[in-house]
Amino acid sequence: MVAMQAQIDGIKKSFISSLEQAQTDDQLEHLRIAFLGRQGSITLLMKEIKNLSVDEKRVWGPKLNQFKQEAESAFQEKKEALFIEQMQSAQQKEQFFDVTAYEPNQPRGSLHVYTRTVQRLEDIFISMGYNVIEGPEIETDYYNFEALNIPADHPARDHHDTFWINDNQLLRTHTSPVQARALETHGTPIAVFAPGRTFRHEATDASHDFMFMQGEVLYIDKHVSISNLLATAKTFLQAFFEKEDLTVRARPGYFPFVEPGIEIDASCPFCTEGCSICKKTGWIELLGSGLVHPNVLRCSGIDPETYSGFALGFGIERLAMIKYGINDIRLFHSSNLHFLDQF
Ligand code: DAH
């Protein structure tokens, strides 16, 4: 039975060397078929057991079985090793990152100045008892203009000032449409703050952009007066600029959805006798506001004899520009890392 041992040795030798050489799944599969497949050399050798005498079977049966098992487990080991190798080289190629790897001085992300400013504003209004709400950026003519008492011939309705989507839909030009939406949904009394993106079809420069953010404030209840408006404006601006001695002044202004319409300026947070930020006037124009026009209340089914209230609106970038000394509104959505890194 020397011949049997020689066969085993021969097959073993070539099996081991093929196993060592196999580098790909394909090569490994060929090897499996050649040695362990139905017509594979190890399988065929096993089939020879049945031709042996009883005594020979007793000797070679266990030996052949052991050989086959060893071959199978060597094959399995190789298969696993190859898989691990492939994964490692794929990881290197695709630069999988290891979340556990520590690297000093890695660049850190930070909140965008938009987010930071909006969160601060939300905190301030929430602390005054307001709810934060949102309205859609794509608005209808009704909410953006009609419900706000804006007449058909008002210049803002012009195709040159507004991005119209079709005859009825547009990108909202201000956050004031949230007023009517909030009144319809929540009714009175109401105290809401609605920050959001707004759009205007106009040329850009350092202080104008085609897209910017506004904050809208609406407070309606019984017996709300201009004093409430001024006190709210002052409290909010003091908190935002972190200046307890900040004061406000009111000037008449025209906005179709309020009567009277009031523009509110804040005393310059940076100087007492005039600086470049307040253009040497000591005052900074910040808010549009007024007492909600009876037509706006009626439009949402609210009786202006019973309820009154104020609305105010402001540019969020403008507030942030003043607070952080940013000189170009277009930087906000520029993705400029030198700019963003500062916040
Ligand atoms: N929506 C106005 C604008 O975009 C700003 C404004 C003015 C909002 C007066 C108000 C307000 O709520 O009462 O220019």
Side-chain angles (χ1 to χ4, degrees), residues 137 163 171-177 196-200 209-215 317:
E137 292 174 0
F163 291 110
L171 296 184
R172 66 176 175 189
T173 58
H174 51 177
T175 43
S176 301
R197 214 176 293 286
T198 58
F199 308 85
R200 293 207 189 155
D209 211 346
F210 61 89
M211 175 177 76
F212 54 100
M213 292 196 81
Q214 284 193 337
E317 286 90 343

Side-chain angles (χ1 to χ4, degrees), residues 140-141 143-146 148-165 167 169-177 199-202 212 214 254-257:
T140 58
D141 180 289
Y143 286 108
N144 199 81
F145 296 124
E146 214 173 305
L148 291 165
N149 200 35
I150 298 177
D153 58 356
H154 194 278
R157 298 183 79 147
D158 202 286
H159 278 76
H160 297 296
D161 289 314
T162 301
F163 291 110
W164 287 89
I165 290 167
D167 282 349
Q169 288 178 303
L170 49 93
L171 296 184
R172 66 176 175 189
T173 58
H174 51 177
T175 43
S176 301
F199 308 85
R200 293 207 189 155
H201 191 191
E202 62 181 3
F212 54 100
Q214 284 193 337
Y254 172 67
F255 306 99
F257 37 94

